[in-house]
Amino acid sequence: MNSKLTQSQQRTICAQLRRVKLKLLYKASIHGFTGAAFHQRCDNRSPTVSVGYNNSGFVFGGYTKQPFSQSGQYVNDDQAFLFTFNGENLIKYPVTNPAYAVRMIANSGPYFGEDLVLVNGSQAVTYSNPGNYYNFPAAQMHGNDLNLTECEVYEVEESTELERPWRTVTWESKKRTELIENIKSYKPTVSSVTQTRVLLIGPVGAGKSSFFNSVNSVFRGHVTSQAISGSSSTSLTTQFRSYSVKAGREGKPLPIILCDTMGLEETKGAGLDIDDLSSILKGHLPDCYQFNPSAPLHPEAHGYRTSPGLKDKIHCVAYVIDASKVSIMPTGLEDKLDAIRRKVNLIGIPQLVLLTKVDEACPLVKEDVRNIYKSGYIKDVMQEVGSRLGVPLSCVVPVKNYSEELELDMNCDILLLSAVIQMLRFVDNYFDELSDRMSNMQTKD
């Protein structure tokens, strides 16, 4: 049975539900446009997504967590909603009176309140009467075309918990201390560099500034927010910033500098400019440089480093990606990331992915961050982001930034510190590669 919902539409629905995948139960063109055929295949299955299609090109339907039956009764569901697609975007209409969210009618398909019925009266038609228990504009929902060309019902398969974690993590305070000490005592293998520079790149709102704040918090011993972070549709970071993390309030600077950039945006001429990126990677950009998306940096700009040393260059690039948005990443953004990856590859800088907001993406992880490598869903997301950005799974590191917490959490700290250790390992690779190239050149001479 082939699904009529596109992969992109399925991913959009799954992102909305924070679940894994949709399994097709009923397809009217195969099983019949009848209430009997629908109930035979869908009764006692939940949660479900029901979808109607018409000749006018509308794709619309509803979600309920309640299993279908033929009791004739209304069923309470405070999470039910109706939806329609506008291009690839989902427009959602939540239930307004949960007690009447779904009705269990034998002679019809999915029956949402008294507002939207698919396969009504065992006919290939939609019944539409908004304003009872759901509010929606009929023209927006289905274009007032009530003849169905197809109706599908999908079961929503929950996030799977793996029997054993697929990466080993020691969740103990001793491990946290060990990671902190390893970072404090790290020394770059090149004597001219005292602090390694890691560049954070990612879409607006993915958590780049929050990652720095979170790592800083671990070493300060309490939650801090030095870098401006928050939720906004445009980048809150408008300058190029180099943040040095200190070991405690009066402590020495750590051997790592996190460089924060303007957020990437899908539209051209907005967000971080690819030409500015070259200047950053090569070490030309001064700290606090004010980005101008419509005009890349010129060598005449104030503070421009004309001949940067190795200590000024970027030694590792970390892409910061929101786990709950991987599946609905806009094409424009994916193209920009691909162009950046190619540019970084050419220069020979190692790259990894920091997967943020893992708790928002998976209920299992929200419950306990130690479930991070037990969540089948998070593993799927990590594999998907790896293939989209062209990096192996071993280069994808999940983290949970501090955003609303007031106190530190040992398990979050361990994930954050592990990510920093991974960055330092990648930096070592960069310096090793550099010294190999230097010795090869000397051998040729």
Side-chain angles (χ1 to χ4, degrees):
M1 249 190 335
N2 290 328
S3 158
K4 196 170 166 67
L5 264 186
T6 66
Q7 281 298 312
S8 170
Q9 288 167 337
Q10 288 190 49
R11 285 200 296 255
T12 302
I13 291 171
C14 287
Q16 185 70 50
L17 299 172
R18 303 276 188 262
R19 295 289 193 272
V20 192
K21 48 184 177 288
L22 301 176
K23 178 183 170 187
L24 188 55
L25 299 177
Y26 164 74
K27 191 174 176 79
S29 60
I30 292 176
H31 303 117
F33 283 91
T34 67
F38 156 71
H39 284 290
Q40 185 192 345
R41 305 210 41 108
C42 302
D43 279 3
N44 305 315
R45 307 292 282 268
S46 65
T48 54
V49 172
S50 303
V51 191
Y53 306 81
N54 64 23
N55 257 330
S56 305
F58 285 80
V59 179
F60 57 98
Y63 164 82
T64 176
K65 66 180 181 185
Q66 296 289 8
F68 290 112
S69 72
Q70 300 171 59
S71 66
Q73 305 297 310
Y74 285 104
V75 180
N76 189 317
D77 183 356
D78 59 354
Q79 290 170 34
F81 62 87
L82 300 179
F83 64 86
T84 188
F85 276 96
N86 178 5
E88 294 299 322
N89 297 323
L90 185 98
I91 302 169
K92 189 174 161 186
Y93 314 100
V95 65
T96 55
N97 191 336
Y100 300 96
V102 188
R103 198 171 178 193
M104 305 302 172
I105 299 292
N107 191 36
S108 283
Y111 206 107
F112 291 91
E114 293 297 334
D115 303 69
L116 188 78
V117 184
L118 302 174
V119 190
N120 186 40
S122 292
Q123 302 289 317
V125 294
T126 304
Y127 171 81
S128 172
N129 185 24
N132 296 298
Y133 311 121
Y134 298 87
N135 291 321
F136 59 88
Q140 188 182 49
M141 174 70 89
H142 43 60
N144 291 313
D145 177 357
L146 300 180
N147 291 316
L148 288 173
T149 55
E150 183 64 278
C151 175
E152 294 177 328
V153 178
Y154 296 82
E155 186 171 23
V156 180
E157 296 195 317
E158 302 260 337
S159 184
T160 49
E161 182 172 356
L162 306 174
E163 276 182 42
R164 55 172 63 91
W166 59 278
R167 272 185 192 165
T168 312
V169 179
T170 308
W171 304 103
E172 292 170 8
S173 60
K174 191 173 73 179
K175 179 67 179 175
R176 180 184 177 278
T177 309
E178 180 193 313
L179 290 167
I180 286 175
E181 290 310 316
N182 285 348
I183 293 165
K184 280 185 185 174
S185 62
Y186 172 83
K187 281 189 175 59
T189 52
V190 176
S191 56
S192 65
V193 179
T194 53
Q195 286 180 295
T196 61
R197 292 168 72 84
V198 177
L199 179 64
L200 305 176
I201 296 177
V204 170
K208 296 181 295 301
S209 303
S210 296
F211 175 72
F212 163 74
N213 286 335
S214 300
V215 171
N216 203 25
S217 299
V218 177
F219 285 92
R220 282 292 176 93
H222 60 90
V223 177
T224 66
S225 54
Q226 183 182 335
I228 298 169
S229 65
S231 53
S232 170
S233 59
T234 55
S235 186
L236 291 170
T237 306
T238 58
Q239 293 182 328
F240 174 66
R241 292 305 318 265
S242 314
Y243 292 110
S244 183
V245 184
K246 284 189 180 138
R249 195 164 157 223
E250 302 288 326
K252 289 193 322 201
L254 292 175
I256 185 168
I257 290 174
L258 295 172
C259 301
D260 196 6
T261 55
M262 195 172 184
L264 289 176
E265 295 182 40
E266 57 179 301
T267 49
K268 286 184 174 154
L272 180 68
D273 185 89
I274 305 281
D275 294 325
D276 274 348
L277 179 71
S278 282
S279 301
I280 297 171
L281 296 172
K282 292 170 183 171
H284 293 299
L285 228 58
D287 189 29
C288 297
Y289 167 72
Q290 186 72 38
F291 288 112
N292 179 357
S294 57
L297 177 75
H298 289 291
E300 294 79 45
H302 178 68
Y304 184 90
R305 291 192 198 99
T306 44
S307 47
L310 184 57
K311 65 179 176 44
D312 303 313
K313 296 183 178 183
I314 296 298
H315 311 128
C316 171
V317 167
Y319 300 104
V320 183
I321 307 288
D322 179 342
S324 62
K325 294 191 176 153
V326 170
S327 58
I328 50 172
M329 189 186 289
T331 315
L333 195 58
E334 204 170 333
D335 291 345
K336 267 194 183 176
L337 282 164
D338 188 50
I340 290 168
R341 184 176 57 84
R342 288 165 192 270
K343 190 152 269 193
V344 175
N345 270 344
L346 276 174
I347 302 174
I349 301 171
Q351 306 167 71
L352 58 85
V353 176
L354 286 180
L355 195 67
T356 59
K357 306 189 186 184
V358 286
D359 53 322
E360 289 178 30
C362 176
L364 206 59
V365 179
K366 196 174 187 69
E367 201 177 284
D368 188 342
V369 80
R370 290 174 298 182
N371 288 331
I372 188 76
Y373 293 119
K374 278 188 171 178
S375 163
Y377 180 58
I378 292 295
K379 188 176 185 184
D380 286 347
V381 172
M382 287 171 69
Q383 284 170 327
E384 185 177 353
V385 79
S387 67
R388 279 174 177 247
L389 295 183
V391 300
L393 189 58
S394 58
C395 298
V396 182
V397 186
V399 291
K400 180 191 177 308
N401 290 335
Y402 289 113
S403 57
E404 55 194 18
E405 300 82 357
L406 295 174
E407 298 300 325
L408 296 176
D409 173 86
M410 181 190 73
N411 300 320
C412 288
D413 288 358
I414 286 170
L415 279 183
L416 289 160
L417 293 164
S418 302
V420 174
I421 290 284
Q422 202 60 18
M423 287 171 174
L424 296 175
R425 286 175 182 161
F426 276 51
V427 167
D428 280 345
N429 294 347
Y430 173 76
F431 290 137
D432 288 348
E433 181 71 24
L434 212 59
S435 60
D436 285 352
R437 283 210 301 258
M438 296 294 280
S439 54
N440 282 342
M441 281 165 72
Q442 284 162 1
T443 312
K444 281 176 188 169
D445 291 347

